[in-house]
Amino acid sequence: MLKNKTIGSMLIVAGTTIGAGMLALPIASAGLGFTTALTLIVATWLLMTYTALLMLELHQHAERDATLNTLAKSWLGKRGQYVANFSVMFLFYALCAAYIAGGGAQLQEKINSGLNLDLAPQIGSIIIAVVIGTVVTLGTSKVDKLNRVLFSIKIIVLASLFYMLTPYVHGQHLLEMPIEQGLILSAIPVVFTSFGFHGSIPSIVKYVGLDIKTLRRVMIAGAALPLVIYIFWQLISQGMMSQAELLTSTGLPGFVTSMANIANNSAVSTAVNLFADLALATSFLGVSLGLFDFFADAFKKGDGGKDRIKTALITFIPPLGFALFYPQGFIMALGYAAIALVILAVFLPVAMVYQQRKSEYAGYNVKGGNLGLAIAGLCGVLIISAQGLQMAGLIPAIG
């Protein structure tokens, strides 16, 4: 049973990580050259895996159902708890609203074309919120089962896409030097947010139990799977087109059209669109599960039927409302996603572990000591600086 949960949890980590943002990676890293882009992706994976293991170091000293709300209060006091709660709610509500609005529009379009109907976009948003909300309310085991099915289909679609595109990869494109070194700053926030899964860690701890050895395996393998897929995706996308061609792609639609034209295969566009739909669904499952368990902990709601329904209403009604009546506000909020994720996935784990290590608790310690914490903190500062420069218009916002 534990082995079954271990595999399922790995796939929840991977499914939450591999969102539709993966498709933007080649555009975000256009102009860097394959080697520089690969270095940035691997460095980001190391950072996010390291801070995920820091979270496990904290969870071993807390209750099984503890979330960032409880952990921050224990190690950083009330102020830390407020920062943690604001970061979780801001980031996860923004993501959920975006998933509901984007997924709803896609679903409505498919229903209208498939059944020859004329439904309003809001209907699609309500359907996707109700379906995902129901699965999450039923419990992590149901999320696990649905995520396995969706993730398996997603891997088949990706494998098909790689098979169609691999013959058009040219080695000389992968050996091209960076066009402009400064473009790496523009790529950092996009690459960083492509490895965000930390909000689902408390839900996985609650699901698997406080078995640190198993949880380490879940975090490392769960994060390694997206890394392998991202590397293959970069190999294909940057191998099919020169850096100059990637830079002139007019956003994601232009990039997908260029790939389909090079391969002379309309199925490429179909596969990319299907992958984007599946990626949105698995990411939405992981993010909303993390938010659900966060609210259950914050409002001291149990696992009884009535309590879970109340928690579900708190989790899904606000983002559904924003998606229906003010989608622009939360789509704009996604521009700050990298900053909120740095606080959530880097600064808070580093600060909490630093405080925790002052105590005399024995148990699992992530290697690297205080030097590792300092390096992770500096990486967080770099990511926020890059995001700030983009917001100020000093470097281009790409991806």
Side-chain angles (χ1 to χ4, degrees):
M1 183 66 179
L2 181 60
K3 187 178 180 182
N4 201 30
K5 286 185 176 182
T6 303
I7 294 168
S9 298
M10 288 175 185
L11 294 182
I12 289 175
V13 169
T16 306
T17 306
I18 305 172
M22 166 187 149
L23 299 173
L25 283 176
I27 305 166
S29 56
L32 295 183
F34 176 72
T35 305
T36 306
L38 179 64
T39 303
L40 179 58
I41 288 170
V42 172
T44 306
W45 169 75
L46 285 170
L47 170 66
M48 295 299 262
T49 306
Y50 172 74
T51 57
L53 296 178
L54 290 182
M55 290 297 295
L56 298 186
E57 185 175 327
L58 293 163
H59 273 284
Q60 70 181 329
H61 304 301
E63 296 296 322
R64 178 172 174 166
D65 59 354
T67 65
L68 202 56
N69 169 68
T70 303
L71 295 173
K73 185 180 179 182
S74 298
W75 301 113
L76 301 176
K78 282 284 185 184
R79 286 185 182 177
Q81 184 185 25
Y82 294 147
V83 170
N85 289 357
F86 177 78
S87 300
V88 170
M89 290 173 63
F90 176 86
L91 179 62
F92 282 18
Y93 269 156
L95 288 172
C96 287
Y99 291 147
I100 291 169
Q106 291 172 22
L107 182 61
Q108 172 259 349
E109 190 179 310
K110 286 176 175 60
I111 291 173
N112 284 353
S113 60
L115 301 177
N116 198 23
L117 298 173
D118 189 25
L119 297 177
Q122 290 86 345
I123 302 298
S125 295
I126 291 168
I127 291 171
I128 199 167
V130 169
V131 170
I132 297 293
T134 301
V135 175
V136 170
T137 305
L138 289 172
T140 307
S141 62
K142 298 294 186 292
V143 172
D144 179 5
K145 287 171 185 170
L146 178 58
N147 183 71
R148 287 184 197 214
V149 173
L150 296 175
F151 194 86
S152 299
I153 300 170
K154 187 160 71 171
I155 292 299
I156 293 168
V157 172
L158 267 181
S160 304
L161 191 60
F162 291 167
Y163 177 77
M164 288 186 281
L165 298 178
T166 301
Y168 303 94
V169 171
H170 298 287
Q172 68 265 29
H173 292 330
L174 298 174
L175 298 174
E176 289 178 3
M177 297 300 289
I179 289 175
E180 188 183 333
Q181 294 292 348
L183 288 173
I184 194 166
L185 285 174
S186 297
I188 285 173
V190 179
V191 176
F192 174 69
T193 51
S194 298
F195 280 98
F197 62 89
H198 292 57
S200 61
I201 292 176
S203 300
I204 289 166
V205 172
K206 182 180 177 181
Y207 184 46
V208 174
L210 288 166
D211 180 345
I212 297 299
K213 188 177 179 181
T214 300
L215 289 168
R216 278 186 81 250
R217 200 178 307 132
V218 166
M219 297 305 148
I220 294 169
L225 186 53
L227 173 68
V228 172
I229 289 172
Y230 289 172
I231 290 171
F232 271 107
W233 179 235
Q234 290 293 116
L235 266 169
I236 288 169
S237 56
Q238 291 193 299
M240 286 181 70
M241 286 179 260
S242 68
Q243 297 300 306
E245 287 172 327
L246 279 169
L247 279 170
T248 54
S249 294
T250 52
L252 184 57
F255 168 63
V256 173
T257 303
S258 296
M259 285 199 304
N261 289 340
I262 291 169
N264 194 25
N265 191 343
S266 60
V268 169
S269 298
T270 305
V272 169
N273 290 327
L274 180 55
F275 169 80
D277 292 343
L278 292 165
L280 185 147
T282 56
S283 288
F284 189 13
L285 275 171
V287 167
S288 56
L289 175 65
L291 186 60
F292 182 96
D293 284 339
F294 169 81
F295 280 131
D297 178 41
F299 294 109
K300 305 302 177 195
K301 298 294 181 186
D303 272 335
K306 287 185 178 179
D307 273 357
R308 290 190 72 83
I309 290 171
K310 288 176 185 174
T311 307
L313 293 174
I314 300 167
T315 303
F316 291 98
I317 292 296
L320 175 59
F322 276 103
L324 294 177
F325 302 110
Y326 187 52
Q328 304 90 338
F330 267 71
I331 300 301
M332 282 167 53
L334 286 176
Y336 299 89
I339 293 175
L341 186 60
V342 168
I343 294 169
L344 182 75
V346 181
F347 289 156
L348 284 170
V350 165
M352 289 189 291
V353 168
Y354 180 75
Q355 290 297 326
Q356 180 266 317
R357 286 178 182 175
K358 291 180 180 178
S359 310
E360 294 299 319
Y361 291 118
Y364 170 64
N365 265 31
V366 183
K367 292 180 180 178
N370 287 339
L371 178 61
L373 299 180
I375 292 170
L378 287 173
C379 289
V381 171
L382 175 62
I383 297 161
I384 283 186
S385 301
Q387 182 79 67
L389 289 170
Q390 280 189 2
M391 290 176 177
L394 298 174
I395 57 173
I398 52 177

